[in-house]
Amino acid sequence: MELLDVLAELAQAGHLGAVENGAAWNEVTAALGEPWEVFVDRRRRSWPRLFAYGDLELSVCRCQKIILICLQTWHDVIDLPVALVGREKFPGQPEYADVIASLERAGCAWQPYTPLTFGNQCAIQATSSGVVFVFEIPDGEGPVLNVVGPPPHQHECPPLPGSS
């Protein structure tokens, strides 16, 4: 599997295996192992918290549900969990034309995403899943994929014990 295949799968389904918005955190860690925590405030371990499996970042709310998925693609090499996509390292920084061609080969319809198209960036959105692809446009070059992710998961956590 190549990175463009992973991106097309994410665009079509809105998730990658067990990693999806609203998924129970214990199910994700059972499938992929323990992640590393991106920011740790040892004095105050409040929620939501941000975890990562290489370049796949997941925000988890206090009721232990994934609320945001963000795949960083701007590095030279993209690191993803082997258990999720079959290999660990992928060449990063895919170009706009390659991403579009991959989506079209997979039969995944898309449209421009104007809320994140401005200045030196442009964005597209997979119409079926809502997954957004944000591209950086370096001076004098074509757009390069920077980040990909489905819309955030909206929910209300149950009240904390003892709160009203």
Side-chain angles (χ1 to χ4, degrees):
M1 181 176 271
E2 298 299 321
L3 182 61
L4 292 172
D5 300 323
V6 172
L7 297 174
E9 181 180 319
L10 177 60
Q12 287 181 302
H15 64 89
L16 291 172
V19 177
E20 70 178 299
N21 280 323
W25 185 233
N26 63 343
E27 292 176 16
V28 172
T29 57
L32 302 179
E34 290 299 319
W36 52 275
E37 194 162 358
V38 174
F39 175 77
V40 180
D41 182 350
R42 300 208 188 287
R43 295 171 289 147
R44 191 179 69 121
R45 297 193 50 95
S46 64
W47 296 90
R49 290 169 46 192
L50 184 60
F51 298 94
Y53 292 95
D55 291 299
L56 180 64
E57 296 179 353
L58 308 172
S59 184
V60 180
C61 69
R62 71 175 164 77
C63 70
Q64 307 292 296
K65 301 268 188 215
I66 294 178
I67 55 174
L68 186 65
I69 300 168
C70 195
L71 175 53
Q72 306 290 340
T73 59
W74 55 271
H75 297 113
D76 290 332
V77 176
I78 308 303
D79 184 16
L80 294 173
V82 173
L84 190 61
V85 293
R87 64 184 263 204
E88 185 175 12
K89 305 284 185 195
F90 297 87
Q93 303 177 347
E95 295 181 359
Y96 182 89
D98 295 331
V99 172
I100 297 303
S102 177
L103 293 176
E104 290 176 353
R105 274 192 308 277
C108 184
W110 60 274
Q111 62 192 12
Y113 188 68
T114 56
L116 292 177
T117 299
F118 51 84
N120 68 341
Q121 73 178 36
C122 64
I124 63 168
Q125 183 178 44
T127 55
S128 61
S129 66
V131 170
V132 174
F133 294 72
V134 180
F135 298 84
E136 177 185 6
I137 308 170
D139 288 338
E141 297 180 38
V144 176
L145 189 60
N146 188 284
V147 65
V148 179
H153 177 69
Q154 303 294 325
H155 77 283
E156 299 245 353
C157 289
L160 290 171
S163 65
S164 25

